[in-house]
Amino acid sequence: MKETGLIPNVIAMLDGLCKDGLVQGAMKLFGLMREKRTIPKVVIYTAAVGGFYKSTKFDDARRIFRKMQKNEIVPNAFSYTVLIQGLCKRKRLEDVVESSMEMLDAGHSPNGRTFIVLVDVYYKEKGIQEAEELMSSLQKRDYALDEKGHSRTLG
């Protein structure tokens, strides 16, 4: 994603509207950006998901992510990261695991920070045994962290 120019400004506007509780305004901007097609759709959808999570509109964020998939816009690794971290904040553990597995199935790996947040939330909510089972199921899908905390695939 470009560091300067239109993309960061639009994302910041979406984010700001959501944080200020102006969900309708954010949805209008989201719709306008989709119509104009000046920004890649995956960026627009991901920005909307992130904005809704930041404004604690969790169900709206999840709905937008699923709409992206329904509209055949393929989420990238960053899209999944935004989704998973938002779900972790909401402590929707079953959705977190489902989305993590979906991310791996799509050929993406969570970054080290996302993996740590995922396991930490799971540990705090479910206990050590369930957190270890989660890590084991991720390893069965050829995912692990190296000794420096960097994500890597095993296969």
Side-chain angles (χ1 to χ4, degrees):
M1 203 177 326
K2 293 182 182 177
E3 293 300 318
T4 60
L6 182 62
I7 293 174
N9 292 333
V10 171
I11 292 170
M13 287 189 319
L14 257 176
D15 200 38
L17 288 168
C18 289
K19 283 180 184 174
D20 289 343
L22 302 170
V23 176
Q24 291 298 78
M27 290 304 292
K28 284 182 184 178
L29 179 60
F30 175 67
L32 182 64
M33 288 188 303
R34 281 192 346 222
E35 283 177 24
K36 298 292 181 186
R37 297 182 183 178
T38 55
I39 298 174
K41 287 183 180 182
V42 69
V43 173
I44 296 166
Y45 275 92
T46 301
V49 169
F52 283 118
Y53 274 129
K54 287 178 183 175
S55 67
T56 67
K57 305 287 185 197
F58 301 110
D59 291 333
D60 289 333
R62 183 86 167 153
R63 184 178 51 78
I64 293 292
F65 190 87
R66 291 299 175 215
K67 185 175 183 176
M68 174 173 59
Q69 292 175 308
K70 182 181 173 194
N71 290 337
E72 298 180 0
I73 300 163
V74 180
N76 58 28
F78 186 72
S79 303
Y80 279 107
T81 297
V82 169
L83 174 70
I84 291 166
Q85 288 183 356
L87 290 169
C88 283
K89 287 179 187 171
R90 181 76 167 141
K91 298 180 182 170
R92 295 193 41 189
L93 300 182
E94 288 75 25
D95 291 337
V96 168
V97 172
E98 176 187 321
S99 297
S100 298
M101 297 305 171
E102 184 180 311
M103 179 181 193
L104 291 170
D105 289 343
H108 304 295
S109 295
N111 61 28
R113 181 175 183 271
T114 301
F115 179 82
I116 291 166
V117 167
L118 166 66
V119 173
D120 185 55
V121 167
Y122 216 78
Y123 165 74
K124 287 176 181 173
E125 294 298 313
K126 298 273 190 170
I128 187 79
Q129 184 176 349
E130 298 236 5
E132 287 174 347
E133 289 173 12
L134 171 64
M135 288 176 23
S136 175
S137 66
L138 290 170
Q139 287 175 333
K140 286 178 185 171
R141 293 184 184 233
D142 294 331
Y143 178 77
L145 290 181
D146 65 17
E147 59 277 352
K148 294 181 181 180
H150 298 112
S151 62
R152 65 182 173 90
T153 54
L154 300 172

